[in-house]
């Protein structure tokens, strides 16, 4: 590549980076303006600080998505994914309206994975993931995937990275949780008073006729099975294909939401960020479906469904636009999960097969080279 080509390539990349930053800052300003104009009457300054922190975390997640993708995909696609994430209505509702800490937890988890995978800094990564788990314990679903990334392999028998990451993670968890549990902080009891399955999920259909049937099983004794279905395929994927670490975390966050029959509106935010690190097309479809559901049910003009759930099944509307939008979002989740599991099976089978794949003519316009994924249905993130 000549000097002129290098100059034009760098100029193009810098322009795309400035575009992502400007869009992220514009969306941040819009969220803060929405927060200031439609402030909740009688709200405390802490509510404003929560919305500010969540909105800034969204901006950080957008910049990290661009940083992760720019070395794995064409710069145009990386910028497109980051911009689509920035303007997602689901993040607007979660951060700008409710100030939900889930966005902070996801941004910290993404930072931890970036430090672990791209920067080879397991000590700092363990601290970041531990702090994210203190913000929201659901982050621990992704911890086995991160441990699988640093687990010793044939080509890397040294276990130093595993010790550093595991030790930092345990230390951060102890530092964050032991004081809270010892003094019985009230924040640890939030959400414990739910009245049964209720929310936007298919539990609307399952929980009404049979409250203690399949819905009650999956939300109660069957919860470990749901978590195993989320964690085991993601860990196997990383063990066979280490370059799929980000997409595996996204799969682990996606599966509990798709398999749980009833979830609260806030949980729709979890698969969004890592989804754009996997398949941007399905992430955009999900962002539209989840954004529509949240805008209808959880904004000021919505029917007032509790953001954190915890409502009795009989109190959740069984019909109307809210129910329809919730079921559409769940249907997208189920299809997306099925495509993810299919990709795990295909890539794991090919990783176990030592024979080289048969040579086939590449489709027109396909990118041939080390960045090509054997299955582009869910993810194409080689490392």
């Amino acid at each position: 590549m000549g000097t002129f080509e290098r100059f034009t390539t760098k100029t193009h990349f810098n322009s795309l980076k400035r575009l992502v930053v400007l869009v992220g800052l514009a969306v941040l300003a819009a969220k803060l303006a929405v927060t200031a104009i439609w402030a909740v009457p009688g709200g405390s300054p802490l509510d404003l600080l929560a919305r500010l922190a969540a909105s800034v975390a969204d901006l950080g997640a957008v910049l990290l998505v661009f940083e992760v993708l720019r070395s794995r995909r064409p710069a145009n696609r990386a910028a497109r994914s980051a911009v689509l994430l920035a303007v997602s209505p689901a993040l607007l509702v979660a951060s700008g309206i409710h100030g939900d800490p889930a966005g902070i937890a996801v941004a910290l988890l993404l930072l931890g994975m970036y430090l672990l995978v791209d920067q080879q800094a397991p000590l700092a990564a363990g601290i970041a993931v531990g702090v994210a788990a203190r913000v929201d314990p659901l982050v621990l679903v992704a911890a086995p995937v991160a441990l699988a990334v640093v687990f010793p392999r044939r080509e890397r028998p040294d276990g130093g990275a595993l010790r550093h990451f595991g030790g930092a993670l345990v230390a951060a968890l102890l530092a964050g949780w032991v004081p809270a549990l010892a003094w019985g902080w009230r924040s640890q009891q939030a959400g414990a008073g739910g009245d049964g399955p209720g929310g936007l999920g298919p539990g609307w259909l399952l929980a009404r006729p049979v409250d203690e049937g399949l819905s009650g099983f999956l939300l109660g004794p069957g919860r470990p099975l749901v978590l195993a279905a989320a964690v085991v395929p993601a860990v196997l994927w990383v063990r066979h294909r280490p370059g799929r670490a980000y997409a595996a975390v996204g799969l682990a966050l996606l599966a509990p939401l798709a398999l749980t029959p009833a979830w609260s509106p806030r949980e729709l935010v979890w698969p969004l960020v890592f989804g754009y690190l996997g398949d941007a097309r399905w992430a955009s479809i999900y962002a539209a479906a989840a954004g529509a559901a949240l805008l209808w049910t959880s904004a000021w003009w919505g029917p007032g469904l509790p953001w954190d759930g915890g409502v009795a099944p009989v109190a959740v509307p069984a019909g109307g636009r809210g129910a329809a939008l919730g079921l559409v979002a769940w249907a997208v989740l189920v299809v997306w999960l099925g495509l993810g599991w299919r990709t795990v099976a295909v890539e794991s089978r090919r990783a176990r097969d030592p024979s080289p794949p048969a040579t086939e003519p590449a489709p027109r316009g396909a990118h041939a080279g080390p960045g090509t994924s054997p299955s582009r249905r869910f993810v194409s993130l080689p490392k």
Side-chain angles (χ1 to χ4, degrees):
M1 181 183 293
T3 304
F4 178 74
E5 287 80 3
R6 286 196 298 269
F7 173 77
T8 54
T9 301
K10 185 176 181 180
T11 302
H12 179 61
F13 168 75
N14 289 335
S15 300
L16 291 175
K17 187 173 183 179
R18 283 194 294 268
L19 173 64
V20 172
V21 173
L22 289 176
V23 172
L25 291 175
V27 173
L28 174 61
K31 291 179 181 178
L32 297 181
V34 168
T35 300
I37 294 174
W38 284 283
V40 179
S44 66
L46 293 179
D47 296 332
L48 179 61
L49 290 178
R51 295 184 178 93
L52 175 62
S55 301
V56 172
D58 289 344
L59 175 60
V62 168
L63 299 179
L64 278 174
V65 165
F66 178 74
E67 185 67 23
V68 169
L69 291 180
R70 72 181 184 89
S71 61
R72 294 168 168 85
R73 292 179 180 172
N76 289 333
R77 295 178 60 189
R80 186 188 313 135
S81 297
V83 169
L84 288 173
L85 174 63
V87 300
S88 170
L91 294 184
L92 171 64
V93 175
S95 303
I97 297 179
H98 294 279
D100 195 276
I104 302 175
V106 173
L108 288 172
L109 175 60
L110 178 56
L111 175 62
M113 294 302 299
Y114 174 73
L115 293 172
L116 185 65
V117 177
D118 287 32
Q119 300 299 317
Q120 286 80 46
L123 190 64
I127 295 175
V129 175
V131 174
R134 178 61 185 87
V135 176
D136 197 309
L138 188 58
V139 168
L140 293 176
V141 174
V145 181
L147 291 171
V149 172
V150 295
F151 200 80
R153 305 173 184 273
R154 289 182 181 177
E155 63 275 11
R156 191 187 60 200
D158 182 25
L162 177 63
R163 290 193 297 272
H164 291 164
F165 176 78
L169 176 61
V170 171
L173 290 175
L174 290 177
W177 284 96
V178 168
L181 297 176
W183 282 294
W185 289 351
R186 296 181 61 184
S187 61
Q188 305 306 315
Q189 303 173 4
D195 296 321
L200 290 172
W204 279 359
L205 302 180
L206 295 174
R208 286 179 176 275
V210 226
D211 191 17
E212 299 300 328
L214 177 61
S215 176
F217 173 76
L218 292 177
L219 291 171
R223 187 65 176 173
L225 297 179
V226 173
L227 296 178
V231 172
V232 172
V235 170
L236 293 177
W237 198 7
V238 170
R239 293 302 297 170
H240 290 297
R241 300 297 300 271
R244 304 294 193 246
Y246 292 102
V249 171
L251 184 64
L253 296 177
L254 167 68
L257 194 57
L259 298 177
T260 301
W263 21 262
S264 59
R266 69 180 298 269
E267 296 176 55
L268 289 174
V269 180
W270 281 97
L272 193 58
V273 172
F274 281 90
Y276 277 102
L277 294 175
D279 191 331
R281 292 169 299 179
W282 273 99
S284 300
I285 295 172
Y286 172 73
L294 292 181
L295 285 173
W296 181 256
T297 60
S298 303
W300 296 285
W301 55 83
L305 188 69
W307 175 251
D308 293 324
V311 295
V314 294
V316 180
R321 295 182 182 179
L325 292 173
L327 291 177
V328 168
W330 173 73
V332 173
L333 282 169
V334 170
V335 175
W336 198 7
L337 177 63
L339 293 176
W341 281 349
R342 175 184 175 275
T343 303
V344 173
V346 170
E347 296 195 353
S348 299
R349 184 169 60 250
R350 293 190 179 187
R352 291 193 302 265
D353 186 8
S355 60
T359 58
E360 297 180 358
R364 182 178 301 177
H367 170 68
T372 303
S373 170
S375 175
R376 299 183 64 87
R377 288 288 187 180
F378 184 74
V379 61
S380 55
L381 276 182
K383 170 61 181 161

